Amino acid sequence: MIPLAQFGVLSALATALTSVLSAVLLLVLTRQLWSLRWSLTRDQHSSLPLPRGSMGWPLVGETFHWLFQGSNFHISRRERHGNVFKTHLLGKPIVRVTGAENIRKILLGEHSLVCTQWPQSTRIILGPNTLVNSIGELHKKKRKLLARVFSRGALESYLPLLQDVIRSEIAKWCSEPGPVEVYGAARFLTFRITVRVLLGLRLEEDRMVYLAKTFEQLMNNLFSLPVDVPFSGLHKGIKAREILHAHMEKIIEEKMERQQTDEYQDVFDYMLSSAKEQGHNLSIQELKETAVELIFAAHSTTASASTSLVLQLLRHPAVVEKARSELEAEGLCRDPYSNRAPPGIATETEEDAGDAMETTCLLKGRGEQSRPYIPYLTLEKLSRLRYMDCVIKEVLRFLPPVSGGYRTALQTFELDGYQIPKGWSVMYSIRDTHETAAVFQSPELFDPDRFGPEREETRSARFNYVPFGGGVRSCVGKELAQVILKTLGTELIGTCQWTLATKNFPKMQTVPIVHPVNGLHVHFHRTHPH
């Protein structure tokens, strides 16, 4: 006969075990019902199956796995399910896509198979007159308007001032007694380039710093709940936008009064001229929203690529030496106060020499030893730097600033033998495509020569290399981004030395923009003349 006390313990254990088993069965059942719920959303008119993959747990899907695992989340599922797989993230069913042919179908299917997808908070903060918020004919019209802003003539006109801004920031990095946090410094550099060079705003340093912090507040709240109440993310983002608009309004009004068409200095000049040619009158509000969108488009991605460039130059000194040799061969790496050019290189004009001398003097401390300098660049000079071009391309392949893009399916279509149901989100992966493309030899290695004339590994496969996207939604400012990166690389390699300030290289985070997890801390110094 079982004692009463023991019977009570056994009864409690049985009850607890029954409760646990019931909870487990309930979880299994709810997960199966959740999976069934999404299976039933497949397009019944299509005979194709849904992509393989898991929809995770009810409501949360696989969001927590994604947050904790980072890039390993997508890698593990791609290895398990293939280049097209389904998952459920942030409350939405998503099909993750890798591979050149699949990406080609998505990027070229804009407005027919898919449409761009931005959170509501992003659309509200940036404004209704932006490229982000336009589709169809309106989108084509706005891209045509911005084409003049990034034309070859416009880029040529931006370049001298752009180079001056880069020189000035590098001089600050070199004068710092301690290490520079490169990602933060690069964000400020790209903000200064956009505001000073593209928008033509001439601001005192403290005002520039204030606007940079204001813009960071806008960026930090672009992806927030679409609820405009005091202290909400959306409210803070809108407030930051209004401050930026206020600083641009005066210069826009002045330019609209002058309506100059024979002299171009900044984005507003080119846009007003282009609009006039198309018979379209731009409002001040349209120009303000476009200006903020340009900062948004150029700021984080170019800062990310600039940081990745410095990181790879730190990791690969042989690449630096080869790039420096190219600069010397092209007569672009010189000692100041010297009018002698390397053998076979014509000397620059007196006017160019004077400009370069003036900039050198600005960058020198009083009584400081002379330093090598880079003369003013032109697009033609940059185009001769073939190896530097390979370095920039490889940086963008190895660490693309944006890991991918989101689209919404406008109709059910096929990818890799699976159906992509209408209304589902599609996330195409730039990073995974670069890492797995068969055209790249040893894609895990940083190798600029893969883009050289002897190999040209992307020659026969256009969509294996898509750091700027493709189709009608490709990055409208990609040529400017490459000019900035090549100019930065040229100035750094030609005039500086650098060392890592930490024991180990930082890990890179890929969401939402590629950047070092705890920053990239570097000591910069001026190169001594040979």
Side-chain angles (χ1 to χ4, degrees):
M1 190 174 190
I2 301 174
L4 186 62
Q6 289 185 5
F7 181 80
V9 170
L10 291 174
S11 177
L13 287 174
T15 302
L17 183 61
T18 302
S19 298
V20 170
L21 288 174
S22 298
V24 170
L25 288 172
L26 182 62
L27 284 173
V28 171
L29 179 62
T30 55
R31 178 159 180 159
Q32 290 298 318
L33 290 173
W34 176 253
S35 180
L36 177 62
R37 175 252 188 276
W38 290 109
S39 297
L40 294 175
T41 63
R42 66 178 297 277
D43 191 335
Q44 302 299 324
H45 297 94
S46 172
S47 60
L48 297 173
L50 287 171
R52 295 166 59 197
S54 170
M55 303 306 279
W57 295 96
L59 301 180
V60 297
E62 294 191 298
T63 300
F64 291 117
H65 292 86
W66 173 62
L67 291 174
F68 289 127
Q69 295 178 19
S71 60
N72 289 330
F73 173 85
H74 297 297
I75 293 172
S76 63
R77 279 151 183 78
R78 187 185 72 238
E79 291 174 348
R80 192 184 313 159
H81 305 302
N83 282 344
V84 178
F85 65 86
K86 69 176 184 289
T87 182
H88 193 280
L89 302 175
L90 300 173
K92 288 188 176 183
I94 291 177
V95 175
R96 170 91 172 191
V97 176
T98 299
E101 283 305 309
N102 294 326
I103 284 184
R104 176 183 178 277
K105 192 165 187 176
I106 292 169
L107 294 180
L108 297 186
E110 186 73 30
H111 305 321
S112 57
L113 293 180
V114 297
C115 66
T116 189
Q117 175 183 308
W118 288 92
Q120 189 178 352
S121 58
T122 306
R123 299 197 302 269
I124 292 171
I125 291 172
L126 292 181
N129 298 300
T130 53
L131 206 60
V132 164
N133 280 325
S134 59
I135 59 174
E137 288 302 316
L138 180 61
H139 177 259
K140 292 178 183 177
K141 181 180 178 181
K142 288 189 176 295
R143 276 191 73 96
K144 186 177 180 181
L145 193 66
L146 286 171
R148 179 75 68 85
V149 171
F150 299 108
S151 65
R152 184 175 179 83
L155 295 179
E156 196 77 74
S157 71
Y158 304 148
L159 190 48
L161 183 55
L162 185 153
Q163 188 176 357
D164 277 340
V165 171
I166 290 176
R167 284 172 170 172
S168 175
E169 291 303 303
I170 290 177
K172 293 176 185 175
W173 301 352
C174 291
S175 65
E176 285 289 335
V180 173
E181 198 291 283
V182 176
Y183 185 52
R187 290 204 308 273
F188 187 73
L189 168 62
T190 53
F191 181 81
R192 184 184 288 275
I193 288 172
T194 309
V195 170
R196 180 68 187 90
V197 180
L198 294 187
L199 304 183
L201 298 181
R202 293 167 175 81
L203 303 171
E204 297 293 332
E205 186 65 15
D206 59 342
R207 206 65 186 162
M208 183 72 77
V209 172
Y210 169 70
L211 286 185
K213 290 180 179 178
T214 302
F215 183 74
E216 289 287 352
Q217 180 175 310
L218 181 146
M219 290 293 296
N220 292 338
N221 293 287
L222 273 178
F223 305 98
S224 55
L225 290 174
V227 180
D228 186 10
V229 296
F231 307 110
S232 70
L234 180 61
H235 187 79
K236 292 176 183 177
I238 292 173
K239 184 179 178 181
R241 179 196 68 195
E242 294 307 311
I243 293 173
L244 293 169
H245 280 188
H247 279 79
M248 296 171 194
E249 189 161 346
K250 184 177 180 180
I251 189 172
I252 294 173
E253 288 175 344
E254 291 175 355
K255 287 183 178 295
M256 293 186 77
E257 286 176 7
R258 290 199 305 266
Q259 286 288 297
Q260 292 182 338
T261 56
D262 57 340
E263 184 180 349
Y264 303 105
Q265 297 179 340
D266 52 48
V267 164
F268 297 125
D269 292 321
Y270 285 103
M271 286 188 65
L272 288 168
S273 173
S274 182
K276 188 175 182 180
E277 288 179 5
Q278 297 178 40
H280 177 58
N281 292 321
L282 288 171
S283 68
I284 292 179
Q285 186 64 26
E286 284 180 290
L287 288 168
K288 288 190 296 187
E289 290 181 8
T290 299
V292 170
E293 185 179 32
L294 285 174
I295 303 175
F296 161 70
H299 179 260
S300 296
T301 51
T302 310
S304 168
S306 299
T307 305
S308 297
L309 171 62
V310 174
L311 175 64
Q312 296 307 320
L313 294 180
L314 277 163
R315 285 182 175 275
H316 303 281
V319 170
V320 176
E321 286 308 310
K322 188 170 180 179
R324 185 175 285 124
S325 296
E326 180 181 61
L327 294 180
E328 292 172 352
E330 292 294 336
L332 294 178
C333 192
R334 307 182 186 179
D335 291 341
Y337 308 111
S338 171
N339 292 323
R340 292 177 300 168
I345 302 296
T347 56
E348 60 191 346
T349 64
E350 267 186 44
E351 184 178 355
D352 289 339
D355 288 340
M357 186 70 68
E358 182 181 356
T359 303
T360 302
C361 292
L362 287 172
L363 298 181
K364 289 175 67 226
R366 190 180 294 264
E368 188 184 74
Q369 186 180 7
S370 301
R371 307 296 188 194
Y373 75 95
I374 302 294
Y376 277 107
L377 299 168
T378 63
L379 294 183
E380 192 276 329
K381 289 178 182 178
L382 285 176
S383 70
R384 296 204 305 263
L385 301 177
R386 302 294 177 83
Y387 185 70
M388 182 68 75
D389 187 61
C390 293
V391 172
I392 301 305
K393 286 180 177 177
E394 179 66 349
V395 167
L396 295 173
R397 183 201 69 85
F398 199 78
L399 288 169
V402 180
S403 298
Y406 286 89
R407 298 290 188 269
T408 298
L410 295 174
Q411 58 175 293
T412 300
F413 63 96
E414 177 269 339
L415 280 180
D416 254 13
Y418 299 106
Q419 64 161 276
I420 312 300
K422 178 181 178 180
W424 279 41
S425 294
V426 180
M427 194 276 182
Y428 65 89
S429 176
I430 293 173
R431 186 184 68 252
D432 288 1
T433 297
H434 287 181
E435 290 177 354
T436 60
V439 297
F440 295 127
Q441 301 173 25
S442 303
E444 72 282 0
L445 300 179
F446 182 82
D447 182 10
D449 287 318
R450 72 174 75 253
F451 292 99
E454 293 82 10
R455 288 161 63 181
E456 279 193 86
E457 292 180 0
T458 58
R459 183 189 311 162
S460 60
R462 176 181 165 195
F463 286 90
N464 284 295
Y465 179 72
V466 283
F468 298 104
V472 298
R473 290 279 179 182
S474 63
C475 176
V476 70
K478 61 184 177 183
E479 300 296 338
L480 173 64
Q482 291 176 93
V483 167
I484 292 173
L485 292 171
K486 289 183 77 172
T487 304
L488 176 62
T490 299
E491 286 287 344
L492 282 173
I493 292 170
T495 68
C496 295
Q497 293 176 325
W498 48 83
T499 54
L500 186 67
T502 54
K503 185 178 180 180
N504 299 309
F505 287 104
K507 294 181 179 180
M508 300 299 282
Q509 182 172 320
T510 58
V511 178
I513 299 289
V514 172
H515 64 279
V517 173
N518 295 312
L520 175 63
H521 301 273
V522 177
H523 290 285
F524 289 93
H525 308 280
R526 284 292 180 192
T527 302
H528 291 284
H530 298 297

